[in-house]
Amino acid sequence: SMQCYPGLVLALSSLLGALALLQLSLYLRVPSRYGKHEERLCRPRGRLPARCAWFLQELPSFLVPALLLALRSPPRLEPLGCRLLCCLFCWHYFYRTFIYPFFTRGRPFPLQLLFFGMLFCIYNGFLQGYYLIYCAEYPNDWCTDIRFTSGLLLFLLGMGINIHSDLLLRQLRKPGEVTYKIPQGGLFTYISGANYFGEIVEWFGFAIATWSLPAFAFAFFTLCCIGPRAYHHHRYYLKTFTDYPKSRKALIPFVF
Ligand code: NDX
């Protein structure tokens, strides 16, 4: 049966960190080609409706850790911290897999990116789940540790911002519409990438609550993946809308 191999966790986390840097070098200058940054005419290729694409892409991030948690024998009941943290991860991906896709009004998603996105979700879902369920050790009072409590608070705050911002974006379109408008309300008042800001806060909160290398590697990956994307969204808005609010920043309120 499965057991903890610390070397495996170290190797997978390092590779995730390396992927984050690769991501940064690839997408700092040019955005990843989906949504408003897709070059429709230049690159005709397969697409899947946004609904199916997001469902399929994110499903492994829910399924893999959920299965690891459910199938471990003997079940790991102690310490409480491990199960709680694994449930937090699954909770986010329950939302992203079973709720977000069914409401999205996004454009069809490129198959090629879907394939890589799915591979990424399998990889990361395995790493986070495997670490928490087979490797992590926490004292029994971890739930009252300042790292756990402050991390959990950040996680919940970030998730709230992310879900609320996703909702504001969705309400910009009527069903069937694919045009872009200026996002308004919530944190969009201050930044163009409010949904991304929430997601980044969320995963840094998760990293602090788990205090683990895999979770910090994932938070760093998230930052390198959607940080530049927030900047590209911001540039797109400035270029497209002459009446775009001048005081609005890309990702960090009042700063950048
Ligand atoms: N999916 C994470 N890399 C990614 C998919 C792409 O969950 O090969 C990372 C995720 C993947 C990426 C994933 C990993 C790396 C990949 C990359 C593709 C290439 C890259 C695989 C897995 C790669 C290497 C080389 C390292 C292997 O029509 P539309 O779609 O634009 O409509 C949008 C709409 N909208 C508007 N509507 C009206 N007016 C406006 N002005 C609008 N602006 C937007 O809102 C969408 O329907 C919706 C949201 O759009 P957008 O662009 O703001 O967000 P989006 O990027 O689609 O993300 C959606 C949510 C969001 O909450 C975000 O925080 C979260 O997913 N997310 C996204 C990406 C990654 C991630 C979280 C994470 O890293 N944690």
Side-chain angles (χ1 to χ4, degrees), residues 19 22-23 26-27 32 34-36 54 57-58 93 96 100 104-107 109 113 116-117 120-121 162 166 169 172-173 179-181 183 195-196 199 203 218 221-222 225-226 229 233 237:
L19 278 180
L22 173 68
Q23 182 91 356
L26 283 178
Y27 299 122
S32 46
Y34 69 93
K36 58 172 73 71
W54 281 90
Q57 177 177 258
E58 308 291 318
Y93 282 103
R96 184 67 74 218
Y100 176 80
T104 181
R105 290 170 186 167
R107 298 177 173 190
F109 194 89
L113 294 189
F116 286 118
F120 175 78
C121 288
N162 179 253
D166 278 347
L169 283 176
L172 291 173
R173 288 176 179 167
T179 51
Y180 291 105
K181 293 169 194 148
N195 53 340
Y196 295 152
E199 183 105 15
W203 293 119
F218 177 46
F221 180 91
T222 300
C225 178
I226 57 185
R229 213 172 143 75
H233 278 14
Y237 287 136

